Amino acid sequence: MTIETLSDHLNNRVTNTKQIFIAVAWIIAALTSLKLSLAVLNAINTIPFLGLFLEIIGIAYVSWFICRYLLSAANRQDLALQVNSFKEQIFGTTP
C-alpha cells in the first residue's frame, strides 16, 4: 500500500464522515426546532382565550380565501396562474 493510496483512502473516509456529521446535525436541528415550536404552541394555548381567538382568526381567513379564490372558475384559474408564476420564480423555468 503506497502513501498515495493511503492518502486517497483517508480522504474518502473523512469525506464520508463529514457527510454523516452534517446529516446528523440537520436531524438534530430539525428535532430541536420542532420541540421549540411545540413548546411555543403549548405556551400560547395556556393563555386564556388566546388560542380560541387565533382559531377564530384562522377560520375567518380560510373562509375569506375560499370565497375569494375557490368559488368561481375564473378566480381558480387566476390562482393557478399566480401559483405557477410563484413556482417559476422559486424553481426557475423547466426546459
Side-chain angles (χ1 to χ4, degrees):
M1 188 174 233
T2 65
I3 293 178
E4 185 177 312
T5 58
L6 182 63
S7 174
D8 289 340
H9 179 68
L10 187 60
N11 190 16
N12 289 338
R13 187 74 115 165
V14 167
T15 302
N16 291 339
T17 305
K18 274 186 189 178
Q19 291 174 351
I20 291 171
F21 282 134
I22 289 171
V24 169
W26 275 107
I27 291 170
I28 290 172
L31 291 175
T32 303
S33 64
L34 178 66
K35 186 167 178 106
L36 182 65
S37 298
L38 290 174
V40 168
L41 288 174
N42 190 25
I44 287 173
N45 281 334
T46 59
I47 299 172
F49 298 114
L50 185 61
L52 179 64
F53 179 68
L54 293 175
E55 190 173 334
I56 290 170
I57 289 174
I59 290 170
Y61 182 76
V62 168
S63 301
W64 171 82
F65 184 84
I66 289 171
C67 290
R68 169 70 176 93
Y69 289 110
L70 300 180
L71 289 182
S72 70
N75 289 344
R76 286 193 299 269
Q77 289 175 350
D78 187 35
L79 178 63
L81 289 174
Q82 288 177 0
V83 168
N84 288 335
S85 173
F86 182 71
K87 286 192 320 190
E88 285 178 4
Q89 288 175 359
I90 298 297
F91 301 116
T93 58
T94 56

